Amino acid sequence: MHPKETYEPLLSRDGESVNLELTSGGVSVRERRQIRRRDLLLVVETVLLFVVSVLWLRSTRSISIAKEACQVLYSPAQEAIVYEVKQFGNGIWDTTIYEDEPSEEVDQAWNDLYNDFGISQIPEWQADRLPNPSAPFPENPEYYIVQLSAFHQMHCLNNIRKALWSEHYVDPVTGELDGLNSHQLRAHLNHCLDTLRQGIMCAGDVSPIVWHWSDEDQGDIINLDIAHSCRSYDSLVTWAKEHKSQYHFNQTVHRKTKPVL
């Protein structure tokens, strides 16, 4: 038995046109079309939401994988790796406190970069994952000593800075700088230079330096004030402060380190 269908005239008695209303089961064709249109829009919106969600998840996963992939070897501080854009200064016209002549303020600024938190402690389970074994603290062998390379490199750079200002930092009586005699200092500075060379080559900063026209020089000059893709140093400092060594490391106490896996 078919549902009742009713038709209305195309023209009213006064000759004005009217809309055709075809009803089936109490629902007009127009209403059915509107319902279908709403259903179709709902399906499209659902599909789009699903696609966007999948793309977002894949994007998030890609970022995570990229962070892990760029750190090929395990580091207990890899959780602190955060990338950011840093605008470098040219270091010639816009100098910083790190370039100033020696003073208590300058020395403190350099120390604040690494010196107070440079030595970290990590639990045994993290030490077991290190690509190179480290020694435990004699006071508490459940924790192992490490130092992030960035802080060692900063220490080396500070030593080179002090050597450039030898008249200020070298002891006039003993000729020592930070407890190192002239022969030891030369060897230490050579070590520091090569440490920084290796660090620079390891980081391999690919940020492109550019040239631009200078009316004053009437020529293209190098522009060092460029943006760089950097690992956040502040994030590493935060990690190091949270893992700052609480124990004295006695280097004269021999404790066997675990073999390299």
Side-chain angles (χ1 to χ4, degrees):
M1 182 174 182
H2 297 286
K4 180 181 177 182
E5 294 183 347
T6 60
Y7 298 86
E8 293 185 3
L10 295 177
L11 296 177
S12 64
R13 291 181 180 179
D14 58 5
E16 293 181 358
S17 61
V18 296
N19 292 328
L20 176 63
E21 294 288 345
L22 176 62
T23 63
S24 176
V27 181
S28 68
V29 172
R30 177 184 297 173
E31 290 173 335
R32 281 188 290 169
R33 288 176 177 172
Q34 290 176 343
I35 292 173
R36 289 171 182 167
R37 188 178 295 112
R38 286 197 299 268
D39 291 343
L40 179 60
L41 288 175
L42 180 60
V43 171
V44 171
E45 290 174 354
T46 302
V47 171
L48 287 175
L49 180 61
F50 174 76
V51 171
V52 170
S53 299
V54 170
L55 290 176
W56 181 83
L57 288 173
R58 290 184 62 185
S59 174
T60 304
R61 183 171 178 270
S62 298
I63 293 174
S64 176
I65 291 174
K67 286 175 63 175
E68 293 176 2
C70 68
Q71 183 61 35
V72 180
L73 299 177
Y74 171 75
S75 168
Q78 62 191 32
E79 64 186 41
I81 296 176
V82 176
Y83 288 95
E84 61 183 4
V85 175
K86 281 281 192 180
Q87 187 77 21
F88 279 26
N90 58 43
I92 300 175
W93 300 285
D94 53 344
T95 60
T96 67
I97 189 173
Y98 305 106
E99 301 171 72
D100 289 348
E101 295 184 7
S103 68
E104 290 185 5
E105 292 75 18
V106 171
D107 287 344
Q108 188 61 50
W110 277 92
N111 285 334
D112 288 345
L113 292 176
Y114 70 93
N115 199 42
D116 294 332
F117 48 82
I119 302 299
S120 303
Q121 62 184 44
I122 60 172
E124 186 175 15
W125 71 268
Q126 287 187 320
D128 287 342
R129 299 184 63 188
L130 296 178
N132 302 287
S134 191
F137 286 92
E139 292 183 25
N140 188 345
E142 293 183 1
Y143 287 93
Y144 288 70
I145 184 172
V146 293
Q147 181 183 47
L148 301 187
S149 291
F151 301 144
H152 177 236
Q153 292 165 7
M154 198 65 72
H155 154 78
C156 272
L157 189 59
N158 194 20
N159 277 349
I160 294 173
R161 176 189 72 89
K162 290 180 178 180
L164 291 174
W165 295 96
S166 58
E167 67 276 12
H168 180 86
Y169 291 104
V170 172
D171 189 307
V173 178
T174 64
E176 294 182 347
L177 193 159
D178 286 347
L180 301 174
N181 61 40
S182 58
H183 177 72
Q184 293 170 325
L185 180 60
R186 182 178 295 275
H188 189 70
L189 291 178
N190 283 335
H191 148 76
C192 279
L193 283 172
D194 205 50
T195 293
L196 293 176
R197 175 193 65 81
Q198 293 178 81
I200 292 170
M201 293 177 69
C202 179
D205 188 352
V206 294
S207 304
I209 295 173
V210 296
W211 276 254
H212 64 82
W213 179 263
S214 169
D215 290 333
E216 180 180 352
D217 296 283
Q218 283 298 295
D220 286 312
I221 62 174
I222 191 170
N223 178 22
L224 301 175
D225 305 346
I226 62 170
H228 292 249
S229 176
C230 304
R231 285 183 176 179
S232 170
Y233 194 84
D234 290 340
S235 181
L236 299 182
V237 169
T238 298
W239 181 91
K241 288 182 177 179
E242 292 173 352
H243 296 80
K244 181 179 177 180
S245 170
Q246 304 298 314
Y247 307 102
H248 169 68
F249 187 73
N250 188 342
Q251 295 177 262
T252 64
V253 177
H254 177 242
R255 298 185 67 91
K256 291 184 178 180
T257 56
K258 297 182 179 182
V260 179
L261 299 178

